[in-house]
Amino acid sequence: RSKGVECKMQMKTKKLVMAALLAALTCVTTMIITVPSPLKGYLNLGDCIVLVTGWILSPANGFLAAGLGSAMADLFSGYMTYVPATFLIKGTMALAAGFLFRILSKRGDHFKSRIISGVVAEVIMVIGYYVFESFLYGGISSLVNIPANAVQGVAGLVIGIVLMKGIEKSKIVK
């Protein structure tokens, strides 16, 4: 094999390993601290890793890693009904965070870019679960989870930004 092909394969392997690690970390972080929400769901700290996944990986890989990791947490925790919605919602969060971050950070301010892209991603989460739960429990009943999901989103954003500061400082990811 040529060195170019070998180098490309190493890069693909590194990206795959990083995506798998972030999916596993998303799953564990989601499961480690859970607080039941009013409508058969639960609050967790997984959003911080969902955002980090979006900011570190490509938008497509971020979608898959965050979606799979979060959906696996629902599966392993007994929230079967939520698995497909969680895959789409959390995957879309990472996709939006990653895509927006890349566009906004071209101006150079990574901190503001993370805040804006993270807020958009968390709004997607709150709206996504409201829509999903509206099908399950009705629109009026589902309003009760909006404040809890918003608190989860704020916590995920703050912790995600702090984690990224540490990741950037340590130069783990370039």
Side-chain angles (χ1 to χ4, degrees), residues 38 41 44 50 52 54 59 68 76 86 90 112 114 121 123-124 131 167:
N44 61 77
V50 168
V52 167
L68 285 171
F76 297 152
T86 292
K90 299 297 181 162
K112 279 185 187 174
R114 284 203 177 90
V123 167
I124 288 169
V131 169
I167 291 167

Side-chain angles (χ1 to χ4, degrees), residues 127-144:
I127 292 171
Y129 280 114
Y130 171 74
V131 169
F132 175 69
E133 290 170 343
S134 291
F135 286 109
L136 295 177
Y137 312 114
I140 300 298
S141 298
S142 298
L143 291 171
V144 73

Side-chain angles (χ1 to χ4, degrees), residues 29-50:
T29 307
T30 301
M31 292 176 69
I32 202 156
I33 297 175
T34 60
V35 178
S37 65
L39 288 180
K40 299 178 184 164
Y42 62 100
L43 305 177
N44 61 77
L45 294 177
D47 282 10
C48 63
I49 306 301
V50 168

Side-chain angles (χ1 to χ4, degrees), residues 78-130:
Y79 292 91
M80 291 295 298
T81 306
Y82 280 80
V83 170
T86 292
F87 175 77
L88 289 174
I89 293 165
K90 299 297 181 162
T92 303
M93 283 176 65
L95 178 83
F99 184 72
L100 282 172
F101 175 75
R102 280 159 185 74
I103 291 171
L104 298 171
S105 67
K106 287 180 182 175
R107 297 182 186 153
D109 192 339
H110 287 203
F111 181 73
K112 279 185 187 174
S113 300
R114 284 203 177 90
I115 290 174
I116 293 167
S117 64
V119 166
V120 169
E122 295 298 351
V123 167
I124 288 169
M125 183 267 294
V126 171
I127 292 171
Y129 280 114
Y130 171 74

